[in-house]
Each structure stands twice: as structure tokens, then as C-alpha cells.
Amino acid sequence: MTGTASLFAGRVALITGGTRGIGLATAEVFARHGAQTVLTYKWGTADEDGVTARIVAAGGPAPLLLQADVSIEADTKALLQTVKERVGRIDAFISNASMALIVKGMEDYTERGFLKSLRSGAWPTFGYLTAMKEAFGVYPRHVVIMSSDGPDRFTPAYDFVAASKAVAETLTRYLAYRLRDEGVRINVLRS
């Protein structure tokens, strides 16, 4: 590979929720640049053959596809142990998977629903980074947290989603400060 095709050759990119939508499109870009992609999925089943074909067609090696719920710590630890055994490292982490309760009315405003939304929508990035440091001894050099325009504009039923994205974006600013001496480049990307 030459030029941009080798930009990420020999490196590993972990993308949560990487088997469809923005996550899969992101994985294809990494593959085009030579990365070994590790893609997680949770909801339903992934079309493993279709995803693999798209990654290989983009120019990358076959992806490592792993089922893991970003909101379950045991899934995160098992995922990272498998990544460590199979590919040995993570150079880029794209925190794409997110879930939050859709609020249809005041009856949905519950502490449980709100906290579950934060646990699944805001916390996974930070839980994953802590677990990566524990598993590999270092943080990934590149971290991108996928967000939305929810914190800045009103969208019906998006109450808890917007709140979890606002929390994730706020914590990212502080995390960038705390990881500044670790060589980590962390950013939020709004779709």
C-alpha cells in the first residue's frame, strides 16, 4: 500500500456499533487506510458476511466482529481480552454505540430511565477507556466520540438522548485535559 492507503496500516481501530450506519461507514474509511478493524454490535444480529465483504472491498483485512453491549462492564472486559489476544492493541477508538430512552411523555421521566440513558449513552466512552488502560497498559492514541446536535436544539422525544450527549461532550473536554500528557487526541464528532 502507498500514500493514504497505508495511513493506518498495521494499526487497529475499535468501533463500537460498527456493523451498520455511521459506524460501518467509519470502519470502511479505516479499512481504506489499511487498518485492522474491530467492530462491535449489540442490537439484533449483524450481517457478518455482508460487513466483512464491505470492509474487504474497502481494502482492509477482514474485520474482527464481536458482540458486546457497551453498557455492560463484563462485556467490555471480555471484548478487550479478546482484542488483546487476537490483535494485541488498539490505536484508535471510535465510541459510536449509544442508546437512550425515547421520551413520549411525562410518564417516561423516571430516574431509572434517565440513569439508564446516561449509562448507555454517555458513560461507555469513559468506561471503555479505563478498561483499555487496564488491559493494554496505555490508552489508544486517537479517540472520537460520536454525538449529535441534540444538546443544542430541540427534537421531540429526544430529551434523554440530548442529555446523555451533553454529558458525554462535557466530560470529553475534561478528559482531553486529563489525558493531555498521555499522548491521547480526543474529539467529539457530531453527525
Side-chain angles (χ1 to χ4, degrees):
M1 286 187 259
T2 61
T4 60
S6 63
L7 186 63
F8 229 70
R11 296 186 183 156
V12 178
L14 168 62
I15 304 162
T16 61
T19 61
R20 60 185 181 175
I22 291 171
L24 180 54
T26 302
E28 288 176 296
V29 172
F30 273 101
R32 193 170 307 119
H33 290 279
Q36 168 65 60
T37 54
V38 178
L39 312 177
T40 70
Y41 63 95
K42 168 58 180 129
W43 304 109
T45 59
D47 175 8
E48 292 192 16
D49 291 337
V51 169
T52 297
R54 286 181 64 172
I55 297 301
V56 171
L64 178 57
L65 301 168
L66 300 167
Q67 188 167 357
D69 184 328
V70 295
S71 69
I72 299 175
E73 185 177 353
D75 280 11
T76 300
K77 289 187 182 222
L79 164 76
L80 295 177
Q81 184 60 41
T82 300
V83 171
K84 186 174 183 177
E85 291 168 3
R86 302 270 298 272
V87 294
R89 61 194 283 171
I90 298 172
D91 300 290
F93 170 48
I94 312 305
S95 184
N96 175 60
S98 179
M99 191 288 300
L101 176 72
I102 300 300
V103 176
K104 296 176 186 152
M106 283 305 295
E107 63 278 359
D108 292 328
Y109 265 77
T110 65
E111 180 181 30
R112 181 175 186 265
F114 178 68
L115 293 176
K116 185 174 182 177
S117 296
L118 288 178
R119 176 75 183 114
S120 298
W123 184 251
T125 297
F126 312 102
Y128 262 65
L129 286 172
T130 300
M132 284 181 214
K133 174 73 171 186
E134 184 179 305
F136 299 100
V138 296
Y139 295 103
R141 175 129 171 84
H142 307 281
V143 179
V144 175
I145 296 121
M146 301 301 284
S147 189
S148 71
D149 61 1
D152 294 334
R153 58 177 264 205
F154 175 82
T155 302
Y158 212 66
D159 311 38
F160 289 171
V161 178
S164 69
K165 296 298 185 183
V167 168
E169 289 184 20
T170 298
L171 288 177
T172 298
R173 286 189 284 278
Y174 288 92
L175 192 60
Y177 169 77
R178 300 208 179 278
L179 295 179
R180 70 192 182 283
D181 295 333
E182 300 277 347
V184 176
R185 301 299 173 255
I186 185 167
N187 290 284
V188 170
L189 179 63
R190 287 185 173 188
S191 57

PDB file of all heavy atoms in Angstrom, residues 76-89:
ATOM      1  N   THR A  76     -17.517  -5.432  28.190  1.00  0.00           N
ATOM      2  CA  THR A  76     -16.365  -4.603  27.822  1.00  0.00           C
ATOM      3  C   THR A  76     -15.061  -5.332  28.143  1.00  0.00           C
ATOM      4  O   THR A  76     -14.160  -5.396  27.306  1.00  0.00           O
ATOM      5  CB  THR A  76     -16.412  -3.258  28.569  1.00  0.00           C
ATOM      6  OG1 THR A  76     -17.623  -2.578  28.222  1.00  0.00           O
ATOM      7  CG2 THR A  76     -15.212  -2.384  28.238  1.00  0.00           C
ATOM      8  N   LYS A  77     -14.973  -5.896  29.332  1.00  0.00           N
ATOM      9  CA  LYS A  77     -13.743  -6.601  29.733  1.00  0.00           C
ATOM     10  C   LYS A  77     -13.503  -7.824  28.852  1.00  0.00           C
ATOM     11  O   LYS A  77     -12.370  -8.074  28.422  1.00  0.00           O
ATOM     12  CB  LYS A  77     -13.795  -6.971  31.201  1.00  0.00           C
ATOM     13  CG  LYS A  77     -13.669  -5.743  32.083  1.00  0.00           C
ATOM     14  CD  LYS A  77     -13.559  -6.090  33.540  1.00  0.00           C
ATOM     15  CE  LYS A  77     -13.490  -4.786  34.307  1.00  0.00           C
ATOM     16  NZ  LYS A  77     -12.544  -4.784  35.353  1.00  0.00           N
ATOM     17  N   ALA A  78     -14.553  -8.581  28.551  1.00  0.00           N
ATOM     18  CA  ALA A  78     -14.407  -9.763  27.686  1.00  0.00           C
ATOM     19  C   ALA A  78     -13.996  -9.347  26.273  1.00  0.00           C
ATOM     20  O   ALA A  78     -13.138  -9.980  25.654  1.00  0.00           O
ATOM     21  CB  ALA A  78     -15.717 -10.554  27.657  1.00  0.00           C
ATOM     22  N   LEU A  79     -14.595  -8.284  25.778  1.00  0.00           N
ATOM     23  CA  LEU A  79     -14.255  -7.764  24.451  1.00  0.00           C
ATOM     24  C   LEU A  79     -12.775  -7.402  24.389  1.00  0.00           C
ATOM     25  O   LEU A  79     -12.058  -7.812  23.474  1.00  0.00           O
ATOM     26  CB  LEU A  79     -15.107  -6.532  24.137  1.00  0.00           C
ATOM     27  CG  LEU A  79     -14.626  -5.658  22.984  1.00  0.00           C
ATOM     28  CD1 LEU A  79     -14.948  -6.310  21.652  1.00  0.00           C
ATOM     29  CD2 LEU A  79     -15.234  -4.272  23.075  1.00  0.00           C
ATOM     30  N   LEU A  80     -12.301  -6.649  25.360  1.00  0.00           N
ATOM     31  CA  LEU A  80     -10.916  -6.196  25.340  1.00  0.00           C
ATOM     32  C   LEU A  80      -9.931  -7.347  25.527  1.00  0.00           C
ATOM     33  O   LEU A  80      -8.841  -7.331  24.947  1.00  0.00           O
ATOM     34  CB  LEU A  80     -10.703  -5.087  26.367  1.00  0.00           C
ATOM     35  CG  LEU A  80     -11.476  -3.800  26.057  1.00  0.00           C
ATOM     36  CD1 LEU A  80     -11.264  -2.780  27.163  1.00  0.00           C
ATOM     37  CD2 LEU A  80     -11.093  -3.230  24.708  1.00  0.00           C
ATOM     38  N   GLN A  81     -10.312  -8.350  26.288  1.00  0.00           N
ATOM     39  CA  GLN A  81      -9.455  -9.529  26.426  1.00  0.00           C
ATOM     40  C   GLN A  81      -9.320 -10.236  25.073  1.00  0.00           C
ATOM     41  O   GLN A  81      -8.222 -10.632  24.672  1.00  0.00           O
ATOM     42  CB  GLN A  81     -10.012 -10.495  27.479  1.00  0.00           C
ATOM     43  CG  GLN A  81      -9.115 -11.688  27.738  1.00  0.00           C
ATOM     44  CD  GLN A  81      -7.730 -11.283  28.231  1.00  0.00           C
ATOM     45  OE1 GLN A  81      -7.571 -10.378  29.040  1.00  0.00           O
ATOM     46  NE2 GLN A  81      -6.707 -11.957  27.731  1.00  0.00           N
ATOM     47  N   THR A  82     -10.430 -10.360  24.347  1.00  0.00           N
ATOM     48  CA  THR A  82     -10.396 -10.977  23.017  1.00  0.00           C
ATOM     49  C   THR A  82      -9.551 -10.144  22.059  1.00  0.00           C
ATOM     50  O   THR A  82      -8.738 -10.683  21.301  1.00  0.00           O
ATOM     51  CB  THR A  82     -11.826 -11.154  22.464  1.00  0.00           C
ATOM     52  OG1 THR A  82     -12.554 -11.993  23.361  1.00  0.00           O
ATOM     53  CG2 THR A  82     -11.808 -11.767  21.077  1.00  0.00           C
ATOM     54  N   VAL A  83      -9.717  -8.828  22.099  1.00  0.00           N
ATOM     55  CA  VAL A  83      -8.921  -7.943  21.237  1.00  0.00           C
ATOM     56  C   VAL A  83      -7.439  -8.099  21.563  1.00  0.00           C
ATOM     57  O   VAL A  83      -6.601  -8.206  20.662  1.00  0.00           O
ATOM     58  CB  VAL A  83      -9.369  -6.471  21.376  1.00  0.00           C
ATOM     59  CG1 VAL A  83      -8.416  -5.527  20.674  1.00  0.00           C
ATOM     60  CG2 VAL A  83     -10.785  -6.290  20.845  1.00  0.00           C
ATOM     61  N   LYS A  84      -7.115  -8.141  22.833  1.00  0.00           N
ATOM     62  CA  LYS A  84      -5.712  -8.290  23.248  1.00  0.00           C
ATOM     63  C   LYS A  84      -5.132  -9.600  22.718  1.00  0.00           C
ATOM     64  O   LYS A  84      -4.015  -9.631  22.193  1.00  0.00           O
ATOM     65  CB  LYS A  84      -5.609  -8.224  24.770  1.00  0.00           C
ATOM     66  CG  LYS A  84      -4.193  -8.224  25.284  1.00  0.00           C
ATOM     67  CD  LYS A  84      -4.165  -8.016  26.785  1.00  0.00           C
ATOM     68  CE  LYS A  84      -2.740  -7.931  27.289  1.00  0.00           C
ATOM     69  NZ  LYS A  84      -2.687  -7.661  28.723  1.00  0.00           N
ATOM     70  N   GLU A  85      -5.890 -10.674  22.831  1.00  0.00           N
ATOM     71  CA  GLU A  85      -5.422 -11.986  22.368  1.00  0.00           C
ATOM     72  C   GLU A  85      -5.312 -12.054  20.846  1.00  0.00           C
ATOM     73  O   GLU A  85      -4.389 -12.662  20.318  1.00  0.00           O
ATOM     74  CB  GLU A  85      -6.369 -13.077  22.859  1.00  0.00           C
ATOM     75  CG  GLU A  85      -6.319 -13.290  24.357  1.00  0.00           C
ATOM     76  CD  GLU A  85      -7.455 -14.149  24.884  1.00  0.00           C
ATOM     77  OE1 GLU A  85      -8.291 -14.645  24.088  1.00  0.00           O
ATOM     78  OE2 GLU A  85      -7.523 -14.312  26.126  1.00  0.00           O
ATOM     79  N   ARG A  86      -6.264 -11.430  20.142  1.00  0.00           N
ATOM     80  CA  ARG A  86      -6.322 -11.589  18.684  1.00  0.00           C
ATOM     81  C   ARG A  86      -5.496 -10.568  17.906  1.00  0.00           C
ATOM     82  O   ARG A  86      -4.917 -10.901  16.887  1.00  0.00           O
ATOM     83  CB  ARG A  86      -7.782 -11.523  18.214  1.00  0.00           C
ATOM     84  CG  ARG A  86      -8.690 -12.561  18.844  1.00  0.00           C
ATOM     85  CD  ARG A  86      -8.809 -13.880  18.113  1.00  0.00           C
ATOM     86  NE  ARG A  86      -9.346 -13.824  16.804  1.00  0.00           N
ATOM     87  CZ  ARG A  86     -10.640 -13.884  16.494  1.00  0.00           C
ATOM     88  NH1 ARG A  86     -11.546 -14.003  17.451  1.00  0.00           N
ATOM     89  NH2 ARG A  86     -11.024 -13.834  15.240  1.00  0.00           N
ATOM     90  N   VAL A  87      -5.483  -9.304  18.366  1.00  0.00           N
ATOM     91  CA  VAL A  87      -4.766  -8.274  17.600  1.00  0.00           C
ATOM     92  C   VAL A  87      -3.757  -7.484  18.437  1.00  0.00           C
ATOM     93  O   VAL A  87      -2.968  -6.729  17.883  1.00  0.00           O
ATOM     94  CB  VAL A  87      -5.725  -7.317  16.855  1.00  0.00           C
ATOM     95  CG1 VAL A  87      -6.498  -8.063  15.780  1.00  0.00           C
ATOM     96  CG2 VAL A  87      -6.662  -6.616  17.798  1.00  0.00           C
ATOM     97  N   GLY A  88      -3.815  -7.624  19.757  1.00  0.00           N
ATOM     98  CA  GLY A  88      -2.762  -7.105  20.619  1.00  0.00           C
ATOM     99  C   GLY A  88      -2.751  -5.639  20.967  1.00  0.00           C
ATOM    100  O   GLY A  88      -1.951  -5.221  21.798  1.00  0.00           O
ATOM    101  N   ARG A  89      -3.623  -4.848  20.373  1.00  0.00           N
ATOM    102  CA  ARG A  89      -3.554  -3.406  20.645  1.00  0.00           C
ATOM    103  C   ARG A  89      -4.806  -2.709  20.127  1.00  0.00           C
ATOM    104  O   ARG A  89      -5.562  -3.264  19.343  1.00  0.00           O
ATOM    105  CB  ARG A  89      -2.333  -2.804  19.984  1.00  0.00           C
ATOM    106  CG  ARG A  89      -2.380  -2.966  18.468  1.00  0.00           C
ATOM    107  CD  ARG A  89      -1.102  -2.700  17.753  1.00  0.00           C
ATOM    108  NE  ARG A  89      -0.853  -1.269  17.647  1.00  0.00           N
ATOM    109  CZ  ARG A  89       0.289  -0.770  17.223  1.00  0.00           C
ATOM    110  NH1 ARG A  89       1.270  -1.562  16.858  1.00  0.00           N
ATOM    111  NH2 ARG A  89       0.460   0.522  17.145  1.00  0.00           N
TER     112      ARG A  89
END
